[in-house]
Amino acid sequence: MDRVELASFLRRRREELRPEDVGLPAGARRKAPGLRREEVASLAAMSTDYYTRLEQQRGPQPSEQMLASLARALRLTDDERDYLFLVAGRNAPSPQVTGTHVAPALQRVLDRLDDTPALILSSLGEVLVQNRFAEALYGDSSRFTGLARSGIYRWFTDPGERLIYPEHDRDRQSRAQVANLRAAYAAMGPRSRAGELVRVLHGESSEFTAIWERHEVAKRFEDHKVLIHPQLGEIEVDCQALFTEDQSQALLVLTAPPRTESFDKIQLLGVLGTEKFVSPDAGSSPRSRLS
């Protein structure tokens, strides 16, 4: 771990960012250029003291998870992210892990979407980052670990995941999940995380196996859908997806026409906040499905 270079690199990247670059209000006149340390710490979900110690060359070696959070907070490119890992004494992320690093171009668009649900997904249905409206609608995705980070996995293993869709639309959603996974499997190969998901789901879900045998392939999202919020009820939304060039990530934006009931409900999401919603018939299983 090169503490001097790590500290210098973090400080320079922080100073080159402006609040508007990361979706923060500019606020009052600043004495120093760039973001404040506490702002970077908040974006990276770490304490200000921890981040400050890294910049002062006296912090502990960051974990790979912490470095990934810093790379996202500082809007690093793939090359800059790899450099951050190396000077911190870690191996640069493998190709499989790289797919979970948020594409900077999509992140910049997401930063500007502050009045409607929006989130960035990997090709395996993992929520990489979401705005507060998406968190209020789907729940906080950061609580999931392991295979459960994939919404595709949860769809076939946790009945609570399906409650956000009307019952009549769940069969279509099941087919869409499998079709998306098959596209990812073809691109990533049988020894990838996609391959692991396929193997595990074959063992855990007969429904998944039956749909997998249909050999349907798709890499898209439904243009119009109805979602069910436990407090606000049905919300009709239009769904727009913006993909990275390699199709490994997608920015999903949900909107409703102005002056409609669904539009008003989306605005209420910002008021309700990010409570952990649990449906009466879902036990203790929180929901957060998308696609």
Side-chain angles (χ1 to χ4, degrees):
M1 176 178 174
D2 188 338
R3 295 179 185 277
V4 175
E5 182 59 26
L6 175 63
S8 178
F9 182 72
L10 290 174
R11 184 169 57 253
R12 178 58 64 89
R13 293 282 83 79
R14 175 175 63 82
E15 291 174 350
E16 289 182 349
L17 285 173
R18 298 293 181 269
E20 56 269 26
D21 295 334
V22 297
L24 296 175
R29 184 179 180 86
R30 296 174 177 241
K31 297 180 180 179
L35 296 180
R36 300 185 177 99
R37 286 172 175 168
E38 59 266 28
E39 291 171 331
V40 173
S42 177
L43 290 169
M46 63 179 62
S47 71
T48 301
D49 177 67
Y50 182 93
Y51 179 78
T52 299
R53 284 186 287 141
L54 289 178
E55 279 203 9
Q56 293 177 344
Q57 307 174 27
R58 57 188 183 88
Q61 183 182 34
S63 66
E64 292 182 357
Q65 181 179 2
M66 196 68 76
L67 291 169
S69 295
L70 280 170
R72 183 174 63 250
L74 294 170
R75 308 304 191 249
L76 301 185
T77 65
D78 289 350
D79 290 339
E80 290 171 337
R81 178 212 56 220
D82 289 352
Y83 182 77
L84 173 67
F85 272 69
L86 292 172
V87 297
R90 305 286 185 182
N91 292 326
S94 66
Q96 290 192 24
V97 175
T98 298
T100 64
H101 174 61
V102 179
L106 293 188
Q107 180 71 66
R108 286 193 294 271
V109 178
L110 178 65
D111 289 338
R112 287 156 177 77
L113 296 171
D114 58 0
D115 62 353
T116 199
L119 56 158
I120 297 175
L121 298 166
S122 75
S123 58
L124 298 182
E126 301 157 321
V127 178
L128 305 181
V129 63
Q130 59 189 155
N131 68 8
R132 64 188 183 93
F133 281 83
E135 190 172 338
L137 178 59
Y138 292 115
D140 179 10
S141 65
S142 65
R143 67 184 183 274
F144 298 112
T145 59
L147 288 178
R149 291 189 61 229
S150 167
I152 301 172
Y153 176 83
R154 298 195 306 273
W155 180 264
F156 290 100
T157 59
D158 182 0
E161 285 294 308
R162 304 191 175 205
L163 298 176
I164 197 169
Y165 282 93
E167 187 172 358
H168 66 80
D169 194 34
R170 293 173 190 170
D171 287 342
R172 179 206 60 78
Q173 179 66 8
S174 292
R175 291 174 61 184
Q177 297 280 16
V178 177
N180 276 302
L181 179 54
R182 185 173 282 279
Y185 179 85
M188 301 171 69
R191 296 185 179 181
S192 65
R193 290 183 299 125
E196 181 184 9
L197 268 178
V198 172
R199 289 190 295 274
V200 172
L201 286 174
H202 273 312
E204 296 192 19
S205 172
S206 58
E207 178 192 12
F208 172 84
T209 298
I211 299 174
W212 183 260
E213 291 175 354
R214 299 170 68 111
H215 287 268
E216 295 176 331
V217 184
K219 194 179 288 187
R220 59 160 296 159
F221 299 89
E222 193 70 11
D223 295 332
H224 184 82
K225 64 180 70 177
V226 175
L227 300 176
I228 301 175
H229 187 276
Q231 288 180 298
L232 301 177
E234 293 189 353
I235 305 177
E236 290 190 52
V237 295
D238 294 314
C239 174
Q240 298 295 322
L242 176 64
F243 288 89
T244 54
E245 185 176 359
D246 63 1
Q247 301 279 296
S248 65
Q249 295 181 13
L251 169 63
L252 193 66
V253 183
L254 306 178
T255 62
R259 297 178 297 281
T260 63
E261 182 180 2
S262 290
F263 179 87
D264 293 338
K265 288 180 178 179
I266 286 177
Q267 305 314 301
L268 283 174
L269 288 173
V271 178
L272 290 174
T274 57
E275 301 175 32
K276 293 190 186 313
F277 302 115
V278 179
S279 178
D281 59 345
S284 60
S285 173
R287 335 159 316 187
S288 71
R289 183 55 215 140
L290 28 124
S291 178

